[in-house]
Amino acid sequence: MSVPVVFLHAFPYSPAMWEGQLKLVEGHPLLLPDILGFESLEKAAAHVLVEMDARGWQKAVFVGLSMGGYVIFRLWNLEPERFAGLVLADTRATPDTPEGVRLRLEQAARVRKEGMPFFPEATLGGHLGATTHARRPELVAWVRQAQLEADPSRVAKSLEALAYRPDSVPLLSSISVPALVLVGEEDTLTPPADARLMAAQIPDSRMLIIPEAGHLANLENPRAFNTALRGFLCELAH
């Protein structure tokens, strides 16, 4: 049987963001857990493990983008033996700066008070790259709508979980399975420098920069993202 693949989505989106990757992994057992709204990233990781146990899966390849990458680090911290490989896309191992923590907590309070209407204007500039903003109005509209449809109470909880996430840099050198690090060349939230930091410290890693993509690289340049992911899965199979 092909190794199972677990896709872990970005904040504040849903597993629907992975639709463009599903054909690529046909033949692999798939899990797309909803990880929005947990009080901590540890609890989100524990939820993923429960879902794997329910399917009887011992191991999987974990593919995480942004918040999904942070959850991968918590999964590695909890049960590293469950990994066949991992993909860290548009994410970072370092914790938030004090300024970043303050901003997330302010946004959490505002989301609880006002809901999601303000959120796209506050975040879309960073979530999508310059090329997408210039050339793909339909994707900008889709991402805006996905944000507006997110549950405000769950968004606020995830903002707090992200703000208080631990430093995962000490885990990097212990990652003993093959790793693929992907990053959009126009990602300003978790830029290529963050990807290089991770790739330099994970022993069996390779890194690719996705052209003409920002922070949501799988949506912005699915062809390049999927080619990289397909190649990595093929490598793991041999």
Side-chain angles (χ1 to χ4, degrees), residues 131-212:
T131 302
T132 298
H133 281 290
R135 296 191 203 157
R136 298 196 56 197
E138 78 295 342
L139 179 57
V140 178
W142 186 91
V143 172
R144 175 181 276 112
Q145 191 56 34
Q147 289 195 2
L148 292 173
E149 288 171 7
D151 179 303
S153 67
R154 292 172 72 206
V155 167
K157 274 188 193 163
S158 282
L159 278 164
E160 288 158 356
L162 291 167
Y164 294 126
R165 75 183 187 281
D167 183 359
S168 294
V169 173
L171 295 176
L172 296 175
S173 62
S174 75
I175 293 174
S176 53
V177 296
L180 173 64
V181 180
L182 298 175
V183 63
E185 71 171 335
E186 300 169 5
D187 188 343
T188 57
L189 294 182
T190 54
D194 288 336
R196 285 191 190 97
L197 174 94
M198 295 188 295
Q201 294 187 54
I202 298 172
D204 183 8
S205 70
R206 62 284 287 141
M207 177 186 153
L208 283 167
I209 293 176
I210 306 292
E212 300 188 342

Side-chain angles (χ1 to χ4, degrees), residues 22-197:
L22 299 186
K23 267 204 169 62
L24 171 82
V25 288
E26 272 175 3
H28 291 265
L30 276 189
L31 178 59
L32 291 94
D34 190 336
I35 54 170
L36 188 69
F38 286 88
E39 272 130 36
S40 71
L41 298 177
E42 279 76 11
K43 287 189 174 162
H47 168 73
V48 174
L49 292 169
V50 166
E51 290 211 18
M52 283 178 66
D53 290 343
R55 287 163 171 75
W57 296 356
Q58 291 305 308
K59 290 185 180 238
V61 177
F62 295 87
V63 182
L65 193 143
S66 191
M67 177 174 73
Y70 305 148
V71 171
I72 282 179
F73 290 130
R74 295 301 97 207
L75 282 160
W76 182 265
N77 191 52
L78 287 170
E79 295 192 14
E81 68 280 4
R82 308 298 291 269
F83 281 73
L86 58 96
V87 180
L88 296 163
D90 297 284
T91 192
R92 57 191 162 101
T94 49
D96 275 2
T97 61
E99 172 64 19
V101 170
R102 187 183 62 76
L103 181 63
R104 287 203 207 264
L105 298 181
E106 281 175 4
Q107 283 185 337
R110 193 173 170 193
V111 165
R112 283 200 172 94
K113 197 169 155 190
E114 299 175 29
M116 292 301 286
F118 79 93
F119 208 78
E121 299 321 309
T123 61
L124 274 182
H127 281 212
L128 296 168
T131 302
T132 298
H133 281 290
R135 296 191 203 157
R136 298 196 56 197
E138 78 295 342
L139 179 57
V140 178
W142 186 91
V143 172
R144 175 181 276 112
Q145 191 56 34
Q147 289 195 2
L148 292 173
E149 288 171 7
D151 179 303
S153 67
R154 292 172 72 206
V155 167
K157 274 188 193 163
S158 282
L159 278 164
E160 288 158 356
L162 291 167
Y164 294 126
R165 75 183 187 281
D167 183 359
S168 294
V169 173
L171 295 176
L172 296 175
S173 62
S174 75
I175 293 174
S176 53
V177 296
L180 173 64
V181 180
L182 298 175
V183 63
E185 71 171 335
E186 300 169 5
D187 188 343
T188 57
L189 294 182
T190 54
D194 288 336
R196 285 191 190 97
L197 174 94

